[in-house]
């Protein structure tokens, strides 16, 4: 069956099964796996965390609120945090969640193959106090530990042991486990079916602990459909075969806003897009420069920034649906000062001069890795032309998500574009992006393997600083040092647009995820 015929058959099936409480969502991205600790990517979070709950959650305004933990308090000068668990919480298989499951899940999230381990740096373990009380143990005080626990999913210990998934899937190693296509969470929706790169079907969990919340919607079943083609996603929305598109093409936003049969909702992105560079190897892989790595020279990294006309990219490629940024984290992140949001000017002549100063008067060749989703690939294509004009002869290599994302987390690319969804607390972003990489989970998304020991010490100190005002000042200083070193080139922050039928009402978070529990469909 051809790809087009397969999509037609799938969309007809979805249309035939739709009813008032069924929601059909289209996106270019597949979640990749159902293992909640194996990945830390937006497109995974959108789906997996409808099925799995964490100790803490967030409300409509993206503020922290109780979830599986009813309350928490710091003890021993914040070296130990005690969590009181919600009673009578049931997993989707009917078993009751106890403290043993929480202890097991924290230890699983800390495991070597977990891409969530970076969030828990400083946590040395968890200890059961009683059936509904758990202590998280830390090597040093952490005044804001609960902020780091969103997306640290709680799993059933018995289910994991039974199915041989006591450790997270090794996603980068392409490991196949029972947890890749099966799930047993405590969340508002349970997994019915996961067909990679096709669809994921979720069903309302009648026994969910939060079912009585007045904010809840009325959706009984959800189909997440992976449709890579922009045109096909919008055609499915226009024909009524899907109800919501999470990534409508930028060039179509204004038209969609004028379309009476549809509506578009928008919020500013808490995250942003970057380019980053290999800074660990002595020779740049795949380049015509031998024996040297140009990206180890800050002047070359500056040249890349000066070569990029991001204003033009935002205007022409992204159709104004983004904001150029010189910041390394959004000013909406606590401690990220708006004063640091300054871009170097677009200046091709200066870029060429910097390359010559660095010893590359004739430039050099490099491959830019990008995921092969239309808007990101188009941005990368525009950037390759701009870079080539100043002498950085750039070849674009666009890869499907299963090939692209391991390059990011394994640090194997010479030059790579990627996006980061920040949380309101800066430490997760600082340690995930800019901390020196090590196997314990530090620098998990430090794709260029940048290393600055003094910055590492500052990031580690931020984690344990109890004075929030002082902590914010330390965050600002860390970002100032990043700006001086320039291990990344910040590009832009998107305007997050969702296109949907008017019958759908949804809360739109600034990290581009959807909380299905609150969705209503008339």
């Amino acid at each position: 069956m051809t790809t087009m015929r397969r999509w037609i058959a799938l969309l007809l099936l979805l249309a035939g099964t739709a009813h008032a409480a069924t929601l059909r969502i289209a996106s270019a991205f597949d979640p990749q796996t159902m293992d909640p600790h194996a990945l830390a990517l937006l497109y995974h979070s959108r789906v997996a965390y409808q099925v799995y709950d964490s100790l803490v959650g967030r409300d409509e305004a993206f503020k922290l609120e109780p979830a599986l933990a009813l309350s928490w308090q710091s003890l021993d000068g914040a070296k130990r945090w005690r969590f009181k668990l919600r009673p009578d919480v049931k997993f989707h298989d009917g078993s009751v969640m106890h403290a043993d499951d929480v202890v097991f899940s924290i230890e699983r999230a800390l495991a070597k193959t977990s891409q969530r381990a970076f969030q828990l740096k400083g946590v040395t373990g968890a200890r059961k106090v009683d059936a509904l009380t758990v202590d998280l143990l830390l090597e040093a005080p952490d005044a804001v530990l609960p902020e780091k626990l969103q997306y640290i999913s709680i799993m059933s210990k018995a289910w994991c042991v039974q199915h041989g998934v006591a450790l997270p899937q090794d996603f980068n190693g392409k490991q196949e486990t029972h947890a890749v296509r099966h799930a047993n969470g405590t969340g508002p929706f349970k997994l019915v079916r996961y067909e990679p790169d096709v669809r994921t079907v979720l069903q309302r969990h009648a026994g969910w602990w939060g079912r009585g919340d007045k904010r809840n919607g009325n959706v009984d079943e959800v189909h997440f459909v992976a449709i890579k083609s922009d045109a096909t996603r919008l055609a499915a929305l226009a024909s009524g075969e899907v109800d919501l598109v999470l990534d409508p093409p930028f060039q179509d936003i204004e038209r969609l806003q004028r379309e009476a049969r549809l509506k578009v909702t928008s919020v500013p992105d808490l995250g942003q897009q970057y380019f980053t560079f290999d800074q660990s190897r002595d020779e740049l892989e795949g380049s015509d420069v031998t024996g040297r790595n140009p990206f180890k020279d800050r002047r070359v990294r500056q040249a890349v920034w000066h070569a990029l006309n991001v204003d033009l990219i935002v205007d022409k490629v992204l159709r104004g649906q983004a904001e150029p940024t010189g910041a390394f984290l959004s000013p909406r992140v606590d401690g990220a000062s708006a004063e640091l949001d300054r871009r170097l000017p677009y200046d091709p002549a200066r870029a060429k001069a910097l390359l010559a100063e660095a010893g590359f008067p004739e430039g050099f060749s490099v491959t830019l890795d990008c995921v092969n989703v239309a808007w990101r690939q188009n941005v990368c294509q525009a950037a390759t032309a701009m870079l080539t004009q100043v002498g950085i002869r750039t070849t674009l290599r666009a890869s499907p998500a299963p090939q692209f994302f391991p390059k990011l987390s394994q640090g194997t690319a010479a030059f790579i574009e990627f996006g980061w969804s920040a949380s309101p607390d800066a430490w997760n972003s600082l340690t995930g992006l800019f901390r020196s990489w090590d196997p314990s989970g530090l620098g998990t998304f430090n794709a260029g393997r940048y290393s600055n020991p003094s910055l590492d010490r500052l990031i580690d100190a931020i984690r344990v600083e109890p004075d929030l005002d002082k902590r914010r000042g330390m965050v600002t200083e860390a970002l100032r040092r990043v700006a001086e070193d320039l291990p990344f080139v910040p590009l832009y922050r998107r305007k997050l647009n969702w296109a949907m039928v008017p019958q759908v009402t949804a809360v739109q978070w600034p990290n581009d995820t959807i909380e299905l529990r609150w969705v209503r469909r008339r």
Side-chain angles (χ1 to χ4, degrees):
M1 182 181 290
T2 66
T3 300
M4 183 58 70
R5 288 175 61 196
R6 182 184 72 174
W7 283 121
I8 292 172
L10 175 59
L11 293 172
L12 288 173
L13 174 64
L14 295 179
T17 59
H19 55 82
T22 296
L23 183 71
R24 299 148 311 167
I25 302 174
S27 170
F29 291 95
D30 181 79
Q32 309 288 311
T33 179
M34 289 297 114
D35 190 319
H37 302 139
L39 273 180
L41 299 173
L42 165 64
Y43 316 110
H44 172 254
S45 303
R46 280 176 173 170
V47 180
Y49 297 102
Q50 316 295 338
V51 175
Y52 288 98
D53 286 317
S54 305
L55 292 174
V56 303
R58 294 192 182 275
D59 65 14
E60 304 97 315
F62 211 55
K63 302 294 186 182
L64 211 63
E65 69 174 6
L68 292 181
L70 284 171
S71 63
W72 46 86
Q73 65 178 129
S74 62
L75 304 171
D76 300 338
K79 283 193 68 175
R80 178 165 55 104
W81 280 81
R82 176 160 293 176
F83 292 82
K84 292 289 186 179
L85 305 180
R86 193 178 294 274
D88 303 318
V89 172
K90 291 185 178 181
F91 288 102
H92 297 158
D93 64 2
S95 61
V96 178
M97 184 198 77
H98 294 295
D100 291 330
D101 300 302
V102 175
V103 171
F104 166 80
S105 299
I106 295 297
E107 292 173 348
R108 190 180 192 270
L110 284 165
K112 183 178 179 180
T113 51
S114 168
Q115 289 194 18
R116 288 287 172 187
F118 77 97
Q119 289 182 224
L120 295 175
K121 188 63 181 173
V123 175
T124 58
R127 182 178 66 195
K128 174 181 176 180
V129 177
D130 58 42
L132 291 175
T133 310
V134 171
D135 284 353
L136 266 60
L137 310 176
L138 290 84
E139 63 186 17
D142 188 336
V144 294
L145 176 71
E147 283 281 350
K148 301 167 185 174
L149 297 179
Q150 186 186 21
Y151 301 142
I152 302 296
S153 295
I154 303 305
M155 303 181 74
S156 164
K157 178 179 180 179
W159 184 85
C160 288
V161 171
Q162 177 187 352
H163 294 290
V165 290
L167 292 175
Q169 171 204 12
D170 181 0
F171 180 80
N172 287 339
K174 305 187 187 320
Q175 183 185 23
E176 184 72 24
T177 75
H178 187 78
V180 172
R181 297 175 189 243
H182 304 85
N184 180 35
T186 63
F189 289 85
K190 57 186 178 181
L191 179 68
V192 175
R193 184 182 306 113
Y194 172 46
E195 302 171 35
D197 294 317
V198 181
R199 65 172 174 170
T200 306
V201 180
L202 307 180
Q203 250 176 23
R204 179 180 184 266
H205 174 36
W208 179 50
W209 55 267
R211 193 54 62 199
D213 192 321
K214 65 181 181 181
R215 298 172 296 182
N216 287 343
N218 66 340
V219 172
D220 292 323
E221 185 167 293
V222 181
H223 296 248
F224 279 97
V225 189
I227 306 177
K228 182 181 169 185
S229 164
D230 287 346
T232 307
R233 284 199 308 283
L234 288 191
L237 180 65
S239 64
E241 286 139 355
V242 300
D243 306 302
L244 170 62
V245 172
L246 293 173
D247 41 14
F250 291 100
Q251 68 269 19
D252 291 293
I253 296 300
E254 289 189 7
R255 177 181 63 80
L256 293 170
Q257 289 171 333
R258 295 192 301 268
E259 177 60 64
R261 297 177 302 162
L262 300 172
K263 67 178 181 180
V264 177
T265 63
S266 304
V267 296
D269 193 357
L270 188 58
Q272 62 188 66
Q273 304 297 124
Y274 306 91
F275 285 153
T276 192
F277 320 88
D278 172 17
Q279 291 184 65
S280 64
R281 299 172 185 83
D282 291 329
E283 183 171 298
L284 190 62
E285 185 177 291
S287 178
D288 55 5
V289 173
T290 58
R292 298 179 66 186
N293 181 348
F295 289 139
K296 286 194 171 188
D297 192 311
R298 183 176 181 274
R299 291 169 294 186
V300 173
R301 304 195 295 274
Q302 283 182 300
V304 170
W305 191 328
H306 283 298
L308 297 173
N309 189 342
V310 176
D311 290 288
L312 184 64
I313 289 173
V314 166
D315 183 40
K316 300 300 184 183
V317 180
L318 303 179
R319 306 301 176 96
Q321 297 297 314
E323 178 185 3
T325 183
F328 289 83
L329 288 178
S330 165
R332 299 177 68 191
V333 174
D334 197 22
S337 171
E339 294 179 2
L340 296 175
D341 194 355
R342 298 189 298 269
R343 284 197 62 79
L344 293 180
Y346 169 60
D347 189 343
R350 179 62 179 150
K352 291 178 181 179
L354 285 165
L355 289 174
E357 289 175 21
F360 301 97
E362 304 302 320
F364 60 93
S365 65
V366 68
T367 297
L368 172 62
D369 276 293
C370 183
V371 70
N372 68 342
V373 170
W375 64 272
R376 291 176 65 172
Q377 186 170 338
N378 291 342
V379 168
C380 289
Q381 188 67 62
T384 61
M386 295 172 181
L387 291 165
T388 298
Q389 286 179 354
V390 302
I392 303 174
R393 296 177 293 280
T394 308
T395 301
L396 176 60
R397 178 167 57 198
S399 307
Q403 297 174 23
F404 172 80
F405 288 117
K407 293 177 185 176
L408 176 64
S409 54
Q410 291 178 319
T412 57
F415 187 30
I416 191 167
E417 182 271 354
F418 74 101
W420 177 256
S421 296
S423 62
D425 181 70
W427 182 83
N428 279 347
S429 297
L430 292 172
T431 195
L433 296 174
F434 309 120
R435 181 67 165 73
S436 297
W437 181 90
D438 75 33
S440 73
L442 294 169
T444 297
F445 298 97
N446 180 349
R449 298 302 188 250
Y450 159 71
S451 181
N452 179 335
S454 68
L455 179 63
D456 291 346
R457 290 190 292 272
L458 179 56
I459 292 172
D460 292 346
I462 290 168
R463 176 172 59 82
V464 300
E465 175 53 55
D467 184 306
L468 294 183
D469 287 334
K470 185 176 180 182
R471 194 173 189 272
R472 292 184 186 105
M474 295 165 71
V475 169
T476 301
E477 173 61 18
L479 292 171
R480 185 189 63 77
R481 293 188 192 182
V482 171
E484 288 177 353
D485 277 2
L486 213 62
F488 293 38
V489 167
L491 300 173
Y492 56 89
R493 289 189 294 273
R494 293 182 295 151
K495 181 184 292 184
L496 302 178
N497 299 300
W498 294 350
M500 64 192 80
V501 296
Q503 294 84 357
V504 171
T505 303
V507 173
Q508 191 172 12
W509 273 350
N511 65 348
D512 209 15
T513 60
I514 183 168
E515 284 290 287
L516 296 177
R517 56 185 165 141
W518 295 330
V519 176
R520 290 193 169 273
R521 192 189 193 287
R522 301 192 306 273

